[in-house]
Amino acid sequence: SGRMAFSMADGAALLDGVGKVNMRFHPSPTEAGRTFTLAVRFAGVAGECVSAVTVRVTAGAAGATAGPVLPLTSATAPTPADGGEYSVRYDDNTRIIARSGTITDGYGGMYPNDLKRSITVQAEHCRVEWLEFDVEGSASCEYDFVDIVDITTGLWWERYCGSDLPPSHTFTGDGFSIVFHTDAGVTGAGFKLRFDCGVWPEVGNGAEVSEPPTPAPPAVLTPVPSSSSSVRLSLKNDDGRTVAATSGTISDGFDTYPSGRDLSVTVRGEDCELVWRALDIEVEPGCEYDWVEVLAGGSSVGRYCGTTLPPRARLMGSEFTIVLHSDAMIEGSGFDVDFECRSASTPEPNTPQPPRTPLPPTLQPPTPLPTTAQPPVPSQGSTPIPAAPLHLSLTEHAGGSFAAQSGSITDGYDRYPASMDASVSVQGSNCRLTWRQLDVERSNTCQFDFVSIAVGGAVVETVCGPGPVQATQLSGDGFTLRLRSDTSVQGSGFLVDFACDAGAPDTPAPPTPLPQTAAPSTPARPTPAPETPGRYGRFEFERTRPEAVLSHGRDDFTQGFEYISAVDLLVEGTGMYGRSVIKVVDPATGATVGTPIALDDEYFGEGLTALRDREEIYQLTWQGGRLLVWGYTATAAAAGRAASLDLSLKRTVAFPETSTGEGWGICNNGTHFFVSDGSATLHIWTVAPLREVARVAVYRQTGRGRAAVDQLNELECLPKLVDGQRHTEVLANVWYSDNIVRIDAGTGRVIETFDIGGVARVHQEQGVLNGVAYDAENRHLYLTGKEWSSMYRFNVAGDVAGTPAPTPVPGAEYVTLRNDNGRTVAGGAFGFLSDGWGAAYPAETDVAVTLE
């Protein structure tokens, strides 16, 4: 007996207009046979709703149990149907309660393009058996695929494509979701599966609860089959070891870790995932005293302290290292982290492993600066923040900024709408977010729909998919929550609670000046400019205000875009089997010049680029493995005659194999082609002969290390000079996003990202951004998209392609291995060192310089 009270933000638990509360009861075994009544009251702006249900306690294998679902509408709840037939076509975003049934794509033939649909089965102990399967195949299932998700843990279970039947699955939790995604290209006959479940949620009034099976152990990471077994490592016993394994756990190994230690262990495994189970490390805002650090690919993925569990991390590469550092004082109980890798990575037999990189020495406390008495500086005080909880929703409070110590934020919809972009800000210090509900369209990188959290303008967390989500501890003054959705699949949204420190952040007092002491005279030395944008120069345009809006063909599935300066014309290549063409476009109006040339039906046209000195255009095909080489004759405008560009197919050649086996985007710097294939890799090919000489991984540098930037699509090269050396940058569309990234082609680093959402959202019902061409002479950037009705021209400012780099730093040395092989540079010099070959250094090279 007793009373239990709780509250929810309005609309937080509404499913299709029906309010539901999920409860799970654990009565003692001695109460078997008793009945009791639960009365539930909802109070809202529309009045009150009261519902009661009688529950009979039944003795089961695990003790006494009671039914977990209370319907809060009518006295009669729907009865779950068994053996039903369901499809993602007609039952998209539906939650099914059933013991058995079948799920299909529902199209009865070839499924269509551009689908993002899902269906969920809510029942316990489900076995899934695939009966039919024909979904476009690819190496990593990045085009069309079926995802299967465990709704108990929220973990993505597996992704399938191709024509082989996937293996059967058994889910020990509360059910599973099927997500079906297709792109704009090849389709297939679809899929069919059967599910059979042991225990399903009882619904209805007075329902007797069936006896459940013995509870299964909590879900854990599933080991990948490998010759190496799961291992348990500890820094206490395995310090300095390198172990090849596919799964296991790593802990500090101490009851309380000791002070003054630097311990580490390395795991060799491909593409590992870390899930933290425990963390208790001396807390300090910058983790400067004690910390646990994850290293991968030569970079820090994250440094952690305190008791808040770090986020789940997916590590790309062949190994990672866990480091524990402690100073001479406070300790904690340590940490425990699980890992799972795609496969173990082991050295070749009889090959000695390279020596382990020594860890940095323990940090010493800084030498105190001499001080003198200073008059006290009065505090500027703080502004109190209301203590009452504040409940916000994006339907009512989008765009606002509110001061609160605690409260909640929800999307405010039964199902949030498509094409939404709304945010709300909370003013508070060091806020902690606890996610109560999350149902936002799932994707591997949250590129379709997502909820993001930003502090000080920097995004610190992005989430999507079904929950649960780990609590988030924020450091700093306030945060902004943003919900962004694309044009298709939606979900029931989110609910997150927040709790912040009492009181607003103090207004910083003026700094107390340090006493000045005489320092040895040191010759002044110019400071080299920062890497971005100084070294690279500026490339700027007003993304929301194009200089001109031009027409574009609504049937043009744009894949390649190139400006030909000799005649002031654009060349556009389009895709789709049976619809691919190459054509000439007037940049002043957007109108087609002459007659488009159709590609053979066997080709799906992709990106293209022009070699001006050869008067040739090179056009990729998607999966054909062929490069189409077009010759062109440029005729400049004259009195009474418009400029023209006559195209003719000269030859087709096989292009070098890419990492996905496909061709997407291509550009050139005169000597090399730069090619994308939908992954995070830029392939570099020499023009003559046509062969691959390098691959560059594209990444964005973050506070947790390098983050791969994949789905690179149409490209535009910006060749220029930097520090007196030839340098190439690449502008790349990121597929299924509104972003264009500017890439240093030599290192793969993303220099900056341009959000084109201001114009892309105009065409959200048409297609995705794809098509970038640059006119260096007039400093015009042309952008369009697949089947967009418009093309845009922007004015570009800054140190753009075709212009010299900024003035060299006075007094700096510019040293290259290409030109200075064998040279010794004397001490006291400063400057820049590079290989000197620009896009790709040659094979069979052995050069060196010495810096004293």
Side-chain angles (χ1 to χ4, degrees):
S1 63
R3 180 180 299 273
M4 175 177 63
F6 60 95
S7 63
M8 295 178 296
D10 289 344
L14 291 182
L15 302 175
D16 299 325
V18 179
K20 297 181 181 179
V21 177
N22 295 318
M23 299 180 178
R24 188 174 298 278
F25 303 95
H26 299 283
S28 68
T30 60
E31 294 181 338
R34 294 184 58 188
T35 61
F36 57 94
T37 299
L38 293 175
V40 181
R41 177 174 65 87
F42 268 9
V45 294
E48 294 188 354
C49 170
V50 180
S51 180
V53 62
T54 299
V55 179
R56 178 180 300 169
V57 180
T58 304
T65 61
V69 175
L70 298 179
L72 297 182
T73 49
S74 62
T76 304
T79 302
D82 293 336
E85 297 182 359
Y86 309 95
S87 72
V88 295
R89 179 180 185 182
Y90 298 110
D91 301 299
D92 182 31
N93 281 308
T94 298
R95 185 177 295 269
I96 302 166
I97 299 178
R99 286 191 181 95
S100 62
T102 59
I103 300 175
T104 70
D105 60 290
Y107 290 94
M110 302 297 284
Y111 58 78
N113 299 125
D114 298 318
L115 295 177
K116 279 178 280 187
R117 299 179 180 271
S118 65
I119 192 169
T120 297
V121 174
Q122 182 180 335
E124 299 179 18
H125 263 303
C126 294
R127 178 175 175 80
V128 174
E129 181 180 1
W130 298 86
L131 306 177
E132 301 172 8
F133 200 84
D134 180 22
V135 174
E136 177 195 3
S138 61
S140 54
C141 296
E142 65 267 41
Y143 307 124
D144 295 2
F145 54 80
V146 177
D147 278 349
I148 188 164
V149 180
D150 187 330
I151 66 172
T152 302
T153 64
L155 295 178
W156 167 49
W157 191 268
E158 193 54 87
R159 169 169 293 180
Y160 297 111
C161 63
S163 56
D164 293 336
L165 283 180
S168 300
H169 298 279
T170 298
F171 295 92
T172 59
D174 296 327
F176 63 93
S177 293
I178 297 294
V179 181
F180 186 37
H181 173 279
T182 70
D183 66 359
V186 179
T187 66
F191 66 90
K192 182 177 182 179
L193 64 87
R194 176 176 177 81
F195 63 91
D196 293 279
C197 305
V199 179
W200 44 279
E202 300 286 350
V203 298
N205 292 339
E208 182 173 329
V209 180
S210 59
E211 182 175 317
T214 302
V220 298
L221 292 172
T222 304
V224 177
S226 171
S227 57
S228 61
S229 60
S230 180
V231 298
R232 181 164 185 84
L233 305 171
S234 72
L235 298 184
K236 177 180 179 180
N237 300 322
D238 302 295
D239 179 36
R241 288 187 63 194
T242 297
V243 179
T246 56
S247 64
T249 60
I250 304 173
S251 68
D252 59 293
F254 301 93
D255 292 335
T256 300
Y257 63 83
S259 59
R261 302 295 291 272
D262 277 303
L263 307 172
S264 69
V265 66
T266 297
V267 173
R268 296 181 63 88
E270 300 287 342
D271 301 341
C272 300
E273 185 175 41
L274 302 185
V275 180
W276 294 84
R277 302 302 183 191
L279 185 75
D280 180 18
I281 304 293
E282 177 188 6
V283 64
E284 195 278 332
C287 295
E288 294 182 3
Y289 303 141
D290 296 2
W291 68 74
V292 175
E293 188 167 22
V294 181
L295 305 174
S299 301
S300 175
V301 176
R303 177 178 289 188
Y304 311 109
C305 61
T307 58
T308 300
L309 290 180
R312 180 188 302 268
R314 176 64 61 86
L315 310 176
M316 308 304 291
S318 59
E319 70 175 36
F320 69 92
T321 300
I322 300 288
V323 178
L324 172 64
H325 168 85
S326 62
D327 63 3
M329 299 182 63
I330 303 170
E331 297 83 38
S333 61
F335 70 94
D336 199 333
V337 60
D338 293 344
F339 68 91
E340 179 189 9
C341 307
R342 181 166 55 84
S343 62
S345 175
T346 56
E348 293 296 325
N350 303 320
T351 301
Q353 295 189 42
R356 188 164 65 93
T357 303
L359 295 171
T362 303
L363 293 174
Q364 300 296 324
T367 303
L369 291 169
T371 58
T372 57
Q374 299 290 332
V377 179
S379 170
Q380 301 300 306
S382 61
T383 303
I385 290 181
L390 183 64
H391 301 290
L392 304 173
S393 72
L394 296 182
T395 55
E396 300 179 15
H397 306 105
S401 181
F402 303 88
Q405 290 183 28
S406 64
S408 64
I409 306 174
T410 180
D411 57 292
Y413 297 92
D414 292 348
R415 299 189 68 78
Y416 62 84
S419 307
M420 181 178 181
D421 194 349
S423 62
V424 65
S425 297
V426 172
Q427 302 170 21
S429 296
N430 303 326
C431 300
R432 179 178 176 83
L433 306 184
T434 304
W435 296 87
R436 301 301 184 190
Q437 176 185 345
L438 183 69
D439 180 20
V440 175
E441 179 191 4
R442 181 195 170 279
S443 59
N444 284 344
T445 56
C446 297
Q447 70 267 38
F448 302 131
D449 297 2
F450 61 81
V451 180
S452 66
I453 305 296
V455 176
V459 175
V460 297
E461 182 174 42
T462 301
V463 297
C464 63
V469 177
Q470 204 167 47
T472 306
Q473 179 66 56
L474 306 177
S475 298
D477 300 337
F479 66 91
T480 297
L481 180 147
R482 175 190 182 196
L483 171 62
R484 167 86 179 271
S485 65
D486 64 1
T487 59
S488 54
V489 180
Q490 291 86 46
S492 59
F494 69 91
L495 173 65
V496 60
D497 293 344
F498 63 89
C500 308
D501 291 349
D506 288 345
T507 304
T512 302
L514 293 172
Q516 300 299 314
T517 57
S521 176
T522 303
R525 176 175 294 178
T527 302
E531 185 173 32
T532 304
R535 168 174 165 76
Y536 296 102
R538 294 181 301 118
F539 189 93
E540 300 173 356
F541 61 99
E542 180 55 68
R543 285 159 263 174
T544 60
R545 295 183 180 178
E547 187 227 358
V549 180
L550 312 167
S551 65
H552 184 258
R554 282 286 283 111
D555 294 329
D556 293 339
F557 196 81
T558 306
Q559 299 289 75
F561 217 33
E562 184 84 347
Y563 178 78
I564 308 297
S565 59
V567 285
D568 189 24
L569 292 172
L570 289 162
V571 177
E572 181 175 8
T574 70
M576 304 297 286
Y577 288 109
R579 287 176 46 193
S580 297
V581 302
I582 185 171
K583 66 177 188 173
V584 181
V585 175
D586 182 355
T589 64
T592 300
V593 178
T595 303
I597 302 175
L599 274 61
D600 289 347
D601 289 348
E602 65 179 299
Y603 295 132
F604 188 118
E606 284 286 347
L608 54 80
T609 187
L611 278 174
R612 274 71 171 182
D613 57 341
R614 295 182 174 220
E615 294 190 334
E616 290 180 340
I617 293 173
Y618 294 76
Q619 184 179 20
L620 291 170
T621 58
W622 177 33
Q623 294 180 323
R626 306 296 293 180
L627 190 64
L628 310 183
V629 183
W630 302 85
Y632 68 82
T633 302
T635 304
R641 185 184 65 196
S644 63
L645 195 70
D646 298 322
L647 303 174
S648 61
L649 183 63
K650 295 174 64 174
R651 62 188 181 277
T652 66
V653 297
F655 61 70
E657 184 176 0
T658 63
S659 58
T660 66
E662 299 174 354
W664 285 39
I666 185 171
C667 66
N668 77 88
N669 65 358
T671 60
H672 293 81
F673 293 121
F674 298 80
V675 178
S676 67
D677 59 4
S679 68
T681 300
L682 277 183
H683 300 264
I684 303 178
W685 305 340
T686 53
V687 169
L690 183 64
R691 63 183 182 90
E692 185 173 73
V693 293
R695 294 186 179 187
V696 176
V698 177
Y699 69 94
R700 180 180 286 109
Q701 191 69 43
T702 70
R704 295 183 179 275
R706 295 184 175 187
V709 179
D710 61 359
Q711 300 197 31
L712 302 176
N713 203 349
E714 216 268 318
L715 307 179
E716 180 73 9
C717 283
L718 306 177
K720 61 194 300 184
L721 295 177
V722 174
D723 304 335
Q725 302 298 319
R726 185 183 184 86
H727 178 74
T728 299
E729 295 173 9
V730 173
L731 297 178
N733 289 142
V734 179
W735 188 50
Y736 264 107
S737 82
D738 298 337
N739 292 335
I740 294 176
V741 291
R742 179 184 172 201
I743 304 165
D744 179 346
T747 65
R749 179 176 181 176
V750 172
I751 303 168
E752 57 186 322
T753 301
F754 304 106
D755 185 345
I756 316 297
V759 297
R761 280 191 287 274
V762 176
H763 306 281
Q764 59 193 9
E765 300 300 330
Q766 297 174 3
V768 297
L769 173 72
N770 200 43
V772 52
Y774 183 60
D775 171 7
E777 182 177 346
N778 298 304
R779 298 190 175 191
H780 287 156
L781 183 70
Y782 295 89
L783 300 178
T784 190
K786 299 180 180 184
E787 299 178 341
W788 282 16
S789 57
S790 300
M791 174 175 69
Y792 299 89
R793 183 172 67 233
F794 298 85
N795 289 324
V796 177
D799 302 297
V800 292
T803 65
T807 303
V809 178
E813 289 264 13
Y814 293 89
V815 181
T816 71
L817 298 180
R818 181 180 185 181
N819 299 325
D820 299 295
N821 182 29
R823 179 183 170 193
T824 296
V825 180
F830 77 98
F832 303 92
L833 172 65
S834 68
D835 64 292
W837 275 278
Y841 58 84
E844 299 180 354
T845 299
D846 192 357
V847 291
V849 297
T850 300
L851 307 180
E852 290 186 344

